[in-house]
Amino acid sequence: WVTAWTGLEINTLAVLPLISKSHHPRAIEAATKYFLTQAAASALILFSSMTNAWQTGQWDITQLTCPTSCLVLTTAIAMKLGLVPFHFWFPEVLQGCSLTTGLLLSTAMKFPPMTLFFMTSQSLNPTPLIIMAILSAALGGWMGLNQTQTRKILAFSSISHLGWMAIILVYSPKLALLNFYLYALMTAAVFLTLNSIKALKLSTLMTTWAKSPALSAMLMLTMLSLAGLPPLTGFLPKWLIIQELTKQEMIPAATIMALLSLLGLFFYLRLAYCATITLPPHTTNHMKQWHISKPTHPLVAILITMSITLLPISPMIS
């Protein structure tokens, strides 16, 4: 446990300079918020492992038997990930940092807490996790509806995806991990695309069709994949999770999750709409951007291709 805690601390301290490197007051504020929440969560993780050691006399991660420390650990990791009652820091922090740092925060920084969840999933209490998962899917969908900043929209999309991972964690940890991998893949594709077309707001996203038409079209498909529409990759984890939930006799939870994903679909559709379908209103404050001739980065191309076409691998998983 102590080693895991040390790793999480190193992780937090490593990403702080990346957030605050732009010396903008907003970036400094984001770094402070990030530091405070992560430090509180790390302290809770240490507290839960010490309680467990006090009760059972060992520091092994897989043998977390004390129910109190299970609950405290669930709370701590929910804080680290940004699951719903503890999600307030995440959109603010993401809004304060650049797109590449935002990519790190929403994929790589979620990996260590997810690993801890994965290792302790046998002993966790499913009830708080399911409540947090349904709340995350609901709030992630609702609060993303009226945002105009692309980073905040991606933050709320991340929160609702974490809800999908948390609801299945106790019943099928491998499925939660698969969902995390595919989510990281699609989010990386979106962040890198937005970074290459320098779109931070929906209004700048509206003029990118003139700048790089192919990339805008692919961004639309990646967005729909994040929303979980059937022929695309993002449908795979949702489909498997709903199937697993019905196997576990949790039909109401599966129905609620499926309905809440419609909220997410709405704002992904809005992003896709802004990226490709609409012509911006003809006002003077939007300069048309020059068509750029430099090719798309190969990494972006690979990630986008994978986040659109991976659905046929599903037989290999099951």
Side-chain angles (χ1 to χ4, degrees):
W1 270 119
V2 184
T3 329
W5 174 79
T6 319
L8 288 169
E9 283 296 306
I10 295 171
N11 211 339
T12 305
L13 294 175
V15 84
L16 281 173
L18 287 175
I19 303 176
S20 57
K21 74 167 185 281
S22 67
H23 296 304
H24 190 276
R26 187 140 225 191
I28 307 298
E29 180 193 345
T32 314
K33 283 178 178 169
Y34 184 75
F35 174 71
L36 290 173
T37 45
Q38 299 295 317
S42 294
L44 275 176
I45 286 178
L46 205 54
F47 173 65
S48 93
S49 51
M50 280 164 67
T51 318
N52 190 55
W54 180 258
Q55 295 284 340
T56 60
Q58 40 75 28
W59 288 92
D60 190 5
I61 290 187
T62 47
Q63 296 173 28
L64 191 71
T65 45
C66 169
T68 321
S69 49
C70 283
L71 199 59
V72 176
L73 181 84
T74 311
T75 316
I77 298 188
M79 264 176 96
K80 276 217 167 286
L81 289 170
L83 277 167
V84 149
F86 317 103
H87 66 289
F88 297 101
W89 61 274
F90 190 52
E92 302 291 328
V93 170
L94 217 57
Q95 183 57 35
C97 57
S98 67
L99 280 165
T100 37
T101 315
L103 164 64
L104 271 179
L105 279 179
S106 32
T107 55
M109 292 297 139
K110 307 243 178 216
F111 190 55
M114 277 310 288
T115 319
L116 280 181
F117 255 167
F118 184 76
M119 291 169 76
T120 54
S121 60
Q122 304 310 315
S123 46
L124 293 177
N125 182 5
T127 320
L129 271 174
I130 288 167
I131 293 169
M132 286 200 286
I134 290 175
L135 283 175
S136 294
L139 272 164
W142 263 312
M143 294 171 77
L145 291 182
N146 58 354
Q147 302 292 335
T148 56
Q149 301 280 340
T150 48
R151 283 168 297 185
K152 276 203 168 161
I153 291 180
L154 284 167
F156 287 118
S157 108
S158 173
I159 291 170
S160 61
H161 275 276
L162 282 169
W164 281 88
M165 290 171 225
I167 198 163
I168 201 63
L169 190 74
V170 180
Y171 305 104
S172 169
K174 285 202 174 87
L175 201 48
L177 217 52
L178 169 80
N179 190 349
F180 179 77
Y181 290 145
L182 290 178
Y183 152 76
L185 176 83
M186 295 183 287
T187 310
V190 172
F191 266 110
L192 290 173
T193 309
L194 290 176
N195 190 39
S196 64
I197 56 187
K198 301 278 178 282
L200 295 176
K201 296 198 292 293
L202 287 186
S203 53
T204 44
L205 201 58
M206 281 182 177
T207 57
T208 52
W209 58 272
K211 195 176 171 184
S212 46
L215 202 54
S216 294
M218 289 294 114
L219 177 65
M220 178 186 90
L221 284 174
T222 318
M223 281 297 172
L224 297 180
S225 180
L226 262 176
L229 288 185
L232 307 166
T233 311
F235 177 59
L236 174 63
K238 285 188 165 48
W239 169 39
L240 290 174
I241 284 175
I242 285 181
Q243 185 186 351
E244 182 65 35
L245 285 175
T246 39
K247 276 183 196 162
Q248 300 286 347
E249 310 283 325
M250 293 170 63
I251 312 287
T255 317
I256 293 171
M257 289 303 275
L259 287 173
L260 288 175
S261 68
L262 288 175
L263 287 169
L265 174 65
F266 182 82
F267 64 77
Y268 292 124
L269 267 178
R270 204 176 69 165
L271 271 173
Y273 203 76
C274 284
T276 48
I277 306 167
T278 50
L279 286 177
H282 292 291
T283 48
T284 46
N285 59 4
H286 274 313
M287 296 294 291
K288 292 284 183 293
Q289 290 161 333
W290 285 97
H291 195 304
I292 45 174
S293 56
K294 71 170 201 278
T296 313
H297 195 282
L299 178 68
V300 181
I302 292 168
L303 282 171
I304 285 182
T305 313
M306 285 173 75
S307 54
I308 293 172
T309 55
L310 277 190
L311 189 63
I313 65 159
S314 44
M316 289 164 58
I317 293 159
S318 47

